Amino acid sequence: MKITICGAAGRMGQSILDIAKVDETVQVCGAVEYESSPAIGMGNPAIVPASKIEEVLPTTEVLIDFTNPATALKNLEIAKKYKIPVVIGTTGFISEQKEKIAEAAKEIPVMLSPNMSVGVNILFKLVEEVTKLIPDYDIEIVELHHNKKKDSPSGTAAKLAEIAASAVGKNINDVGVYGRKTIMGDRKKDEIGVLSVRGGDIVGEHTVYFAGTGERIEITHRAQSRDTFGAGAVRAAKWIIGKEPGLYDMQDVLGLK
């Protein structure tokens, strides 16, 4: 399988490159970074600037994107031009950007997921089921990441909040509360709290609290290495080849739906 990685010099890009090196079924035929990146010209294959992405796409079977929302949308449009499937691990998309991704997925297969680890996707399923079983419990989500992470809350925490809200028939836009600093009175019964911690080199940790009267349930996922996400991205890339146009997620890849 021939892949091109956008964001090749980033933490996730480097993880995918490392995994590809030891996977005999994967060949990295393209590596792309932003125009002024100090990584341009480095690596094997040599990293090229975004302006030259179309030079590597003719030999690409799947494009993997770990960049930023605006860049990811640009890369998606280029991939659509060449009819290349795309795996997007970039996070921080707003509603309008997600709509554009869904539109592109009508023409090419797109796998969009805020987190590609097996464990986190099992966490998604568990949170949905537990929320349905105890819909009257207060739900709070706490996520921890390294001090270089740009978006807050994390895409995974946002997804967990969406899943919990949907499980009780709510829209997260109506019930989500992100951080608290005010005299806000009593906690609203149907709100879902999401709080972010940034520090050190924490790879990623997410805990969902279900708090009832006299008890609480905590479900936690801790990532000890980015390789779990990189491996998931490569697995998704292998899975998406040959799929019909459509918008998929990691639950599809893992057969959890």
Side-chain angles (χ1 to χ4, degrees), residues 126-137 167:
L126 290 173
V127 167
E128 180 181 18
E129 293 303 316
V130 173
T131 303
K132 289 177 178 178
L133 289 169
I134 47 175
D136 57 327
Y137 278 42

Side-chain angles (χ1 to χ4, degrees), residues 6 23 25 29 37 41 55 61 67-68 91-93 104 125 127 137 142 162 168 175 186 191 194 196 207 223-224 240:
C6 293
D23 189 332
T25 68
C29 62
S37 170
E55 293 182 6
E61 293 179 280
T67 56
N68 60 67
T91 58
F93 294 106
K125 292 292 288 185
V127 167
Y137 278 42
V142 179
E162 289 174 9
V168 291
V175 299
D186 293 347
E191 75 181 42
V194 184
S196 301
T207 298
Q224 296 167 250
I240 204 169

Side-chain angles (χ1 to χ4, degrees), residues 228-247:
T228 186
F229 310 129
V234 171
R235 181 172 180 171
K238 292 178 180 180
W239 178 88
I240 204 169
I241 290 178
K243 293 295 185 294
E244 292 295 319
L247 184 58

Side-chain angles (χ1 to χ4, degrees), residues 196-239:
S196 301
V197 176
R198 297 289 177 267
D201 61 355
I202 302 170
V203 174
E205 179 174 323
H206 296 83
T207 298
V208 182
Y209 297 86
F210 296 88
T213 301
E215 67 175 2
R216 72 175 183 268
I217 298 170
E218 302 175 13
I219 308 177
T220 298
H221 177 273
R222 296 185 181 92
Q224 296 167 250
S225 168
R226 286 182 184 82
D227 286 350
T228 186
F229 310 129
V234 171
R235 181 172 180 171
K238 292 178 180 180
W239 178 88

Side-chain angles (χ1 to χ4, degrees), residues 111-151:
M111 204 294 291
L112 172 67
S113 177
N115 194 306
M116 300 192 187
S117 83
V118 173
V120 162
N121 280 275
I122 292 173
L123 175 64
F124 290 157
K125 292 292 288 185
L126 290 173
V127 167
E128 180 181 18
E129 293 303 316
V130 173
T131 303
K132 289 177 178 178
L133 289 169
I134 47 175
D136 57 327
Y137 278 42
D138 295 333
I139 301 173
E140 297 282 316
I141 300 165
V142 179
E143 55 99 349
L144 293 75
H145 283 87
H146 54 88
N147 57 22
K148 302 297 183 185
K149 186 166 180 60
K150 293 178 175 59
D151 57 324

